[in-house]
Amino acid sequence: MARVIDSQVLVHETAHQWWGDLVLWKSYRDQWISEGLANYASLLMLEQQSPAQFRQVLEKYRRDLLSKNKDGEWLRDAGPVTLGQRLESSHFPGGYTSISYERGTWLFHMLRSMLRDATLRESAPATRSRKGSNPDEPFFRALRKIRERYAGKSISTQELLQVFQEDLPRPLWYEKRPNLDWFLDGWIEGTAIPELEARDIRISEKAGVTTVSGVIVQKNVPDDLVTAVPVYATTASSAQVFLGEVLADGRETAFRLVAPSGARKVLLDPKLTILTTLK
Ligand SMILES: [Zn+2]
């Protein structure tokens, strides 16, 4: 594991040619973009070679962020990524590195994952199977736009999200608009690492249509945290079928989704694409 991370350092530094040197950050509050993006770019290369190692690195970051210092304080609580170098303190001597690299990397992974899931959800089955269609395209298109528009310039966190909002797939719209303010407020400027639970699940068949309903509970979160939660169901053959994304808004959110007939069990984010506290 340590060797995997060492070999990533070179790729990370190379990725700074784009994220940090070509595209600069506006203020100390935006420096996390350069670290998070350079680091995520290095992990994308790792993912191509070894998806398993890519997962292991993300899981290590999750454990780090959920660890406590010698005084029993959560690293998670050192502050949001937007505090930049001010995350360094006597309580958290490595605070800046841990939060901006590790939470920063997770934030980009969440953006990519939710764009991909929402794109899959949006595209009809016919388009989905069409050769060459790539559900990761919206994420990479946004990165290309950032590189083109901000080459030799600096970018702020708001401007970064503006680009991601431009072709935001419908399932991620909030209050009927292509709007990522909830991601900015709760995830970028917040520190939460929620625990998710599905409650009151009901699976019903009516006129040949199977629907799954229930409540998504977010624990250990501020009242207004919004999280895009991918919901899956298992089938008789124990395959996991993606049903859709639910924007869990606050502590409890009721949802209803159409499922394949024979759906058995509901799973929240089984592919571990969200920075949550695992039970
Ligand atoms: Zn760096």
Side-chain angles (χ1 to χ4, degrees), residues 58-239:
L58 284 172
E59 290 311 312
K60 180 195 179 294
Y61 292 172
R62 186 201 305 269
R63 287 196 301 276
D64 287 349
L65 291 163
L66 288 167
S67 66
K68 291 178 179 173
N69 67 9
K70 58 180 182 357
D71 300 322
E73 297 160 310
W74 298 91
L75 174 59
R76 173 190 72 188
D77 295 335
V81 288
T82 47
L83 270 190
Q85 307 274 2
R86 290 168 57 198
L87 288 161
E88 295 288 325
S89 69
S90 55
H91 292 249
F92 299 105
Y96 170 68
T97 309
S98 304
I99 301 285
S100 69
Y101 279 58
E102 301 187 345
R103 190 176 174 98
T105 298
W106 261 105
L107 293 176
F108 282 105
H109 186 57
M110 285 175 63
L111 271 173
R112 175 191 172 204
S113 304
M114 66 196 203
L115 281 171
R116 184 181 47 210
D117 288 344
T119 304
L120 283 172
R121 173 90 179 130
E122 218 180 23
S123 57
T127 357
R128 210 181 292 175
S129 57
R130 196 195 293 157
K131 213 176 156 213
S133 78
N134 174 7
D136 267 333
E137 176 54 20
F139 177 77
F140 290 107
R141 187 167 58 229
L143 292 188
R144 283 195 301 272
K145 282 185 186 173
I146 292 166
R147 193 194 58 212
E148 282 156 20
R149 282 183 211 168
Y150 291 92
K153 299 184 191 137
S154 56
I155 189 167
S156 71
T157 301
Q158 276 84 358
E159 288 166 335
L160 174 92
L161 284 183
Q162 205 72 47
V163 176
F164 278 98
Q165 264 170 207
E166 281 173 13
D167 333 273
L168 197 67
R170 273 271 177 176
L172 291 175
W173 285 25
Y174 186 70
E175 290 173 344
K176 299 185 178 146
R177 292 187 295 134
N179 172 358
L180 284 171
D181 287 354
W182 55 270
F183 192 73
L184 176 67
D185 296 344
W187 285 94
I188 297 177
E189 295 190 328
T191 59
I193 303 184
E195 189 181 318
L196 299 176
E197 194 185 288
R199 202 183 277 166
D200 305 333
I201 295 299
R202 291 186 59 175
I203 300 173
S204 61
E205 300 239 21
K206 213 187 241 173
V209 180
T210 306
T211 48
V212 168
S213 64
V215 174
I216 295 178
V217 182
Q218 298 198 91
K219 295 184 190 166
N220 310 318
V221 294
D223 283 336
D224 54 358
L225 186 81
V226 179
T227 306
V229 181
V231 180
Y232 287 70
T234 57
T235 60
S237 60
S238 53

Side-chain angles (χ1 to χ4, degrees), residues 12-13 16 34-35 38-39 101:
H12 171 113
E13 294 312 324
H16 271 308
S34 146
E35 288 312 337
N39 205 51
Y101 279 58

